[in-house]
């Protein structure tokens, strides 16, 4: 085994199963970028970012994500459509095949990194990639150990990722040739047949969503987080495309993280060391922080170029609508490092309501907050998951069902307790449509959404009048600085009020139907937040 590394002694890198000719260990972003270009797997954009194609898959494949069902998980994991069981024998079989596949390669890439900015919860991870850009993603997205930490690095979890390896479903127990398999017993994630890098980060996120709440009494959350000048923390829950990354990048507040956080008794902390931002229609004008992060070292996925140039065409959906860029946290000018701050003062539930029913901003009672958290509503027009290209109502418990191994009630209970203990304000923000649903109205302007969030954060909304929404009950402000009053009440923005009322009832029915599976495990306070369907 050859270890190619500038600064790490060979002795501390021991992984007997790896016998590829060259094992590139802990290469710099520059080296990984150069190798990717040299292998003709990527090109450099006008701003210096590395642009690659992830291949067949440009989004996550929830149906191909499995967890080994064994003595650890059997009675703890909430087995459902997202938590799909696989027998342990298939895990061993695929691990063997995957390693064999990688060992027959000329070269492979290995990186040691960790998750969780809070030292008490930190988990060390070793990732093995088939190609250099997969390894660059890992550099960008996970936390980066310093040289001292590397000297004594003991990996706890291992991720093995080979986009070009294909499983044989009939033999390997998978659904099709691509898979992501988590074994809690062997602390290993196997990813094959897909080059979509998001599988790597969401694989580890899934692991943390088990370990932290189950073993450490820490609430893990699919949310972004930032902190104001006075140390006031805000967290933003929301499903894919609702604005977690966009809205957490705020020039007036320090970014803690854009997607995955933990909340223990006295802090909120980031799990990650980078951001994974959507690039579709990205503009310097509307999202300067993210736009300017797309430079040397950033990894951009599935974009095309303005013809005859090396300038990224951010408007193009030619390959996918889910174009993405990963970059280390410090590429955002005001990132907080390490990513640990106080417990939150404000919680935002982001939803992208393509039906145009929910108010652009509203305040939730504790009961409503729990009802909305358990419901986890959005209506996507386009998403991160392969195959979704049309508007569709989605209910995803705790705003993150695909990544939550435990029963949603487990997380909901923890959040409910913390919300009360810390007396947190909870807001619901519709970053989706106003003036009508998809096709009639339009998506609310980003600057309005930012203004309303700022008004909530700076206390301005404490001093205005509210009125309850007639169907959903949340408190809608009558006025809010930075946005015309006429846009605050969604019904007023529709020309056809009857159409609004009808659509609102229909949406309420969807909420009620979805909530049926939880009615047994909620109290009256939560249940009384049910929208009215009469
Ligand atoms: P994921 O979990 O997939 O990372 P996310 O919640 O981080 O999703 P963003 O990457 O923030 O989602 O995506 C929000 C998208 O919506 C961005 O492309 C942003 O430019 C666009 N957008 C348009 N209008 C708004 C608005 N009013 N508020 C927030 N985002 C908006
Ligand atoms: Mn995001």
């Amino acid at each position: 085994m050859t270890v190619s590394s500038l600064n790490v002694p060979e002795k501390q890198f021991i992984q007997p199963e790896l016998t590829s000719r060259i094992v590139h260990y802990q290469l710099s972003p520059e080296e990984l970028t150069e190798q990717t270009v040299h292998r003709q797997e990527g090109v450099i954009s006008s701003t210096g970012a590395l642009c690659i194609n992830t291949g067949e898959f440009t989004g996550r494949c929830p149906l191909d994500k499995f967890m080994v069902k064994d003595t650890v998980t059997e009675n703890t994991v909430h087995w459902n459509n997202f938590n799909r069981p696989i027998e342990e024998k298939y895990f061993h079989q695929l691990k063997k095949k995957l390693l064999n596949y990688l060992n027959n390669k000329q070269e492979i890439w290995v990186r040691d990194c960790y998750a969780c900015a809070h030292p008490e919860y930190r988990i060390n991870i070793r990732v093995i990639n088939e190609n250099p850009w997969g390894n660059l993603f890992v550099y960008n997205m996970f936390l980066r150990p310093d040289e001292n930490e590397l000297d004594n690095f003991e990996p706890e979890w291992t991720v093995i990722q080979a986009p070009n390896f294909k499983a044989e479903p009939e033999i390997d127990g998978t659904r099709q040739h691509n898979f992501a398999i988590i074994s809690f017993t062997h602390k290993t994630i196997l990813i094959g047949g897909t080059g979509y890098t998001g599988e790597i980060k969401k694989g580890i996120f899934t692991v943390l969503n088990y370990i932290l709440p189950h073993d450490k009494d820490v609430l893990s959350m699919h949310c972004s987080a930032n902190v104001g000048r006075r140390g006031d923390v805000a967290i933003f829950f929301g499903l894919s495309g609702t604005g977690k990354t966009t809205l957490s990048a705020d020039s007036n507040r320090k970014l803690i993280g854009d997607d995955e956080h933990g909340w223990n008794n006295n802090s909120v902390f980031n799990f990650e060391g980078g951001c994974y931002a959507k690039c579709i229609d990205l503009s310097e004008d509307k999202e300067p922080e993210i736009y300017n992060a797309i430079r040397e070292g950033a990894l951009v996925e599935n974009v095309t170029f303005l013809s005859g140039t090396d300038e990224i065409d951010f408007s193009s959906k030619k390959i996918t609508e889910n174009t993405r860029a990963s970059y280390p946290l410090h590429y955002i000018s005001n990132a907080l490092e390490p990513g640990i701050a106080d417990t939150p003062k404000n919680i935002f539930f982001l939803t992208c309501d393509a039906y145009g029913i929910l108010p652009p901003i509203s305040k939730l009672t504790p009961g409503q907050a729990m009802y909305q958290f358990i419901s986890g509503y959005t209506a996507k027009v386009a998403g991160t998951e392969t195959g979704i290209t049309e508007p569709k109502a989605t209910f995803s418990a705790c705003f993150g069902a695909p990544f939550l191994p435990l029963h949603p009630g487990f997380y909901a209970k923890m959040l409910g307790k913390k919300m009360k203990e810390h007396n947190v304000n909870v807001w619901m923000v519709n970053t989706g449509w106003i003036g009508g649903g998809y096709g009639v109205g339009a998506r609310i302007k980003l600057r309005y959404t930012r203004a309303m969030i700022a008004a909530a954060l700076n206390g301005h909304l404490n001093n205005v009048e509210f009125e309850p929404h007639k169907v959903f009950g949340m408190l809608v402000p009558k006025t809010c600085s930075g946005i015309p009053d006429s846009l605050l009440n969604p019904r007023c923005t529709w020309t056809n009020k009857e159409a609004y009322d009808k659509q609102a009832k229909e949406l309420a029915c969807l909420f009620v139907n979805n909530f049926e599976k939880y009615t047994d495990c909620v109290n009256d306070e939560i249940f009384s937040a049910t929208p009215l369907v009469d």
Side-chain angles (χ1 to χ4, degrees):
M1 180 180 79
T2 320
V3 175
S4 144
S5 160
L6 293 176
N7 46 25
V8 181
E10 192 158 346
K11 67 163 172 48
Q12 68 96 35
F13 178 67
I14 300 162
Q15 183 100 5
E17 305 125 290
L18 297 179
T19 57
S20 312
R21 284 271 307 284
I22 305 172
V23 178
H24 295 287
Y25 177 68
Q26 220 72 4
L27 295 194
S28 67
E30 297 76 29
E31 289 168 303
L32 294 169
T33 301
E34 196 191 300
Q35 288 178 346
T36 302
V37 173
H38 182 75
R39 289 159 60 94
Q40 301 190 328
E41 290 175 356
V43 296
I44 306 293
S45 79
S46 56
T47 63
L50 177 62
C51 303
I52 56 101
N53 290 338
T54 58
E56 183 183 356
F57 297 100
T58 56
R60 286 180 300 102
C61 300
L63 297 182
D64 301 300
K65 186 169 161 232
F66 301 90
M67 269 180 269
V68 176
K69 190 169 186 174
D70 56 20
T71 50
V72 174
T73 55
E74 196 174 11
N75 300 315
T76 50
V77 167
H78 177 57
W79 302 103
N80 60 21
N81 244 347
F82 298 116
N83 298 322
R84 305 166 79 84
I86 194 166
E87 283 177 55
E88 184 165 16
K89 67 173 184 195
Y90 294 125
F91 167 80
H92 290 301
Q93 182 174 314
L94 272 170
K95 183 179 173 197
K96 206 167 151 197
K97 281 183 164 184
L98 208 51
L99 282 173
N100 188 41
Y101 170 84
L102 289 171
N103 284 333
N104 282 314
K105 296 271 154 196
Q106 272 292 320
E107 37 187 353
I108 58 168
W109 285 261
V110 176
R111 166 152 252 112
D112 288 339
C113 55
Y114 66 98
C116 294
H118 194 304
E120 207 174 318
Y121 309 107
R122 162 178 179 155
I123 63 162
N124 284 346
I125 306 165
R126 174 166 293 170
V127 187
I128 302 164
N129 303 103
E130 179 181 357
N131 44 40
W133 52 266
N135 205 247
L136 178 61
F137 177 82
V138 173
Y139 175 87
N140 285 347
M141 292 306 297
F142 290 95
L143 287 154
R144 295 159 285 274
D146 63 29
E147 300 209 352
N148 284 336
E149 292 172 315
L150 273 180
D151 278 342
N152 309 303
F153 194 89
E154 296 276 350
E156 185 182 348
W157 276 79
T158 305
V159 181
I160 310 176
Q161 185 240 17
N164 297 315
F165 171 89
K166 286 184 167 44
E168 298 165 279
E170 325 73 53
I171 305 173
D172 297 325
T174 57
R175 190 181 70 108
Q176 43 183 46
H177 62 274
N178 61 302
F179 58 89
I181 301 178
I182 303 175
S183 165
F184 284 93
T185 300
H186 301 286
K187 298 191 174 180
T188 299
I189 304 178
L190 308 176
I191 300 170
T194 170
Y196 185 63
T197 54
E199 300 278 9
I200 306 175
K201 86 170 212 112
K202 285 300 203 298
I204 289 294
F205 184 45
T206 305
V207 167
L208 292 168
N209 281 323
Y210 181 99
I211 297 174
L212 293 179
H214 189 266
D215 304 345
K216 317 254 171 180
D217 196 29
V218 173
L219 175 62
S220 55
M221 309 174 288
H222 186 215
C223 70
S224 60
N226 63 21
V227 52
R229 291 198 178 93
R230 275 159 285 144
D232 59 304
V233 170
I235 59 179
F236 304 82
F237 285 94
L239 293 165
S240 186
T242 57
K244 292 184 299 300
T245 300
T246 296
L247 297 168
S248 58
D250 175 339
S251 54
N252 292 313
R253 301 171 64 82
K254 287 199 162 189
L255 176 69
I256 304 171
D258 82 327
D259 201 50
E260 310 173 3
H261 293 82
W263 181 351
N264 74 345
N265 54 0
N266 59 10
S267 69
V268 159
F269 61 92
N270 194 358
F271 294 166
E272 303 183 283
C275 301
Y276 192 42
K278 281 181 184 300
C279 296
I280 197 70
D281 296 326
L282 185 64
S283 72
E284 180 165 24
D285 167 41
K286 293 195 191 108
E287 299 183 63
E289 290 289 346
I290 296 172
Y291 187 91
N292 290 313
I294 301 187
R295 54 180 198 255
E296 217 168 295
L299 179 69
V300 187
E301 301 176 10
N302 303 316
V303 290
T304 53
F305 298 89
L306 293 169
S307 97
T309 75
D310 52 4
E311 255 175 76
I312 298 172
D313 178 0
F314 288 112
S315 71
S316 169
K317 301 176 184 172
K318 199 164 165 208
I319 299 177
T320 174
E321 173 141 8
N322 187 33
T323 52
R324 292 271 179 171
S326 64
Y327 46 84
L329 264 171
H330 60 259
Y331 275 34
I332 296 288
S333 65
N334 53 347
L336 178 76
E337 287 193 88
I340 314 175
D342 205 353
T343 57
K345 290 250 178 318
N346 288 280
I347 296 179
F348 295 88
F349 293 155
L350 307 176
T351 180
C352 179
D353 178 18
Y355 295 108
I357 298 302
L358 297 180
I361 192 162
S362 56
K363 197 166 184 190
L364 304 182
T365 64
Q368 289 166 351
M370 291 311 290
Y371 187 91
Q372 291 299 336
F373 186 66
I374 295 167
S375 297
Y377 165 71
T378 194
K380 312 192 222 194
V381 176
T384 310
E385 288 169 29
T386 306
I388 296 177
T389 52
E390 296 222 323
K392 183 179 172 248
T394 309
F395 292 92
S396 184
C398 313
F399 297 102
F403 325 114
L404 303 180
L406 308 175
H407 189 281
F410 203 103
Y411 307 93
K413 226 178 182 164
M414 285 181 93
L415 181 74
K417 194 162 157 262
K418 285 180 185 296
M419 269 173 5
K420 288 200 168 158
E421 247 170 55
H422 298 267
N423 198 17
V424 194
N425 297 313
V426 186
W427 310 89
M428 183 139 201
V429 172
N430 175 10
T431 65
W433 269 250
I434 54 168
Y438 181 74
V440 178
R443 194 159 181 192
I444 188 166
K445 285 192 167 69
L446 180 52
R447 71 182 157 90
Y448 288 149
T449 302
R450 287 201 203 277
M452 290 181 295
I453 288 174
L457 289 172
N458 65 27
H460 172 89
L461 282 183
N462 294 339
N463 309 313
V464 303
E465 254 186 84
F466 289 84
E467 62 183 336
H469 188 277
K470 294 223 158 51
V471 177
F472 285 89
M474 58 271 279
L475 299 171
V476 185
K478 291 189 168 172
T479 177
C480 176
S481 59
I483 174 168
D485 291 354
S486 60
L487 298 185
L488 291 169
N489 180 330
R491 190 171 186 269
C492 298
T493 67
W494 284 48
T495 18
N496 186 342
K497 314 288 181 217
E498 274 155 37
Y500 178 87
D501 294 337
K502 184 164 170 280
Q503 188 61 260
K505 295 276 170 203
E506 277 175 30
L507 183 60
C509 284
L510 295 178
F511 268 83
V512 169
N513 290 341
N514 170 68
F515 210 81
E516 262 167 23
K517 51 184 173 289
Y518 306 115
T519 37
D520 292 346
C521 50
V522 300
N523 60 27
D524 286 351
E525 187 189 16
I526 301 174
F527 198 63
S528 66
T530 306
L532 299 176
V533 281
D534 61 36

